Amino acid sequence: MKRKSTGKPDNDSATQSKSRKKNKSETWTVEQDDFIVAEMDKLSDLNWKAISKKFNKKFAKAKKSFLECKNRWTLLTSPKNLWSHNEQLVLFLAFYKAPANWPYIASLLPNKIFIRNHFVNKAKKLANGIKSKEVVLNN
């Protein structure tokens, strides 16, 4: 049995994700970042649901799930994401020696996460800096 066409385009997940715009509540402010860091300092048991509840009480307009709070800590405010000048130098030299061999590069930087993302972002900043003649390797 054939289905009749309704004349409307199918809404598959690819088109929905492209058309989805970010809400203002999806962006994070410095105050919100500071709140998560402070809560992480207070709670040693990593109770993300409790942190999320406190966050949602304080920032009523910017509701965040426990997973969003956890990801924010992991991606942006975790000490694992702070890179020294020497670590960045190792990253760029390793990429020069073995381009895009991320397992090898990761073995040289054992306590780092999101190495490829950091490299791509830093390379873009360097490329823009070279165009404007100001190159900065620091975070």
Side-chain angles (χ1 to χ4, degrees):
M1 204 168 160
K2 291 184 179 180
R3 295 178 89 187
K4 291 184 179 180
S5 175
T6 59
K8 296 179 183 176
D10 290 336
N11 286 336
D12 61 353
S13 61
T15 56
Q16 285 178 351
S17 64
K18 285 180 184 177
S19 65
R20 183 175 176 245
K21 294 181 181 177
K22 283 196 168 219
N23 282 337
K24 286 185 180 181
S25 66
E26 288 186 40
T27 58
W28 290 78
T29 65
V30 175
E31 185 183 3
Q32 292 168 346
D33 286 343
D34 292 343
F35 177 81
I36 288 185
V37 171
E39 287 301 313
M40 285 301 298
D41 291 341
K42 288 180 197 173
L43 301 173
S44 60
D45 62 350
L46 297 178
N47 188 347
W48 291 107
K49 289 187 179 182
I51 292 172
S52 175
K53 284 181 183 178
K54 288 181 181 180
F55 181 93
N56 291 332
K57 282 182 183 177
K58 183 167 183 170
F59 304 102
K61 291 184 179 178
K63 298 263 184 197
K64 305 288 184 188
S65 70
F66 74 93
L67 192 56
E68 288 173 307
C69 292
K70 179 183 177 202
N71 288 342
R72 184 64 177 183
W73 167 257
T74 304
L75 292 174
L76 298 175
T77 57
S78 173
K80 289 183 180 182
N81 279 338
L82 300 176
W83 289 72
S84 70
H85 180 73
N86 289 339
E87 289 169 331
Q88 291 186 45
L89 193 59
V90 167
L91 174 63
F92 277 85
L93 291 174
F95 188 84
Y96 178 76
K97 181 180 176 183
N101 187 350
W102 297 112
Y104 167 73
I105 296 169
S107 71
L108 300 174
L109 300 160
N111 292 322
K112 293 296 172 190
I113 57 175
F114 308 111
I115 294 169
R116 182 177 176 274
N117 291 347
H118 180 78
F119 175 82
V120 169
N121 290 334
K122 191 57 72 174
K124 284 179 184 176
K125 285 181 183 177
L126 284 171
N128 290 337
I130 290 170
K131 288 177 189 173
S132 67
K133 296 185 181 176
E134 63 178 73
V135 178
V136 178
L137 268 177
N138 296 334
N139 283 341

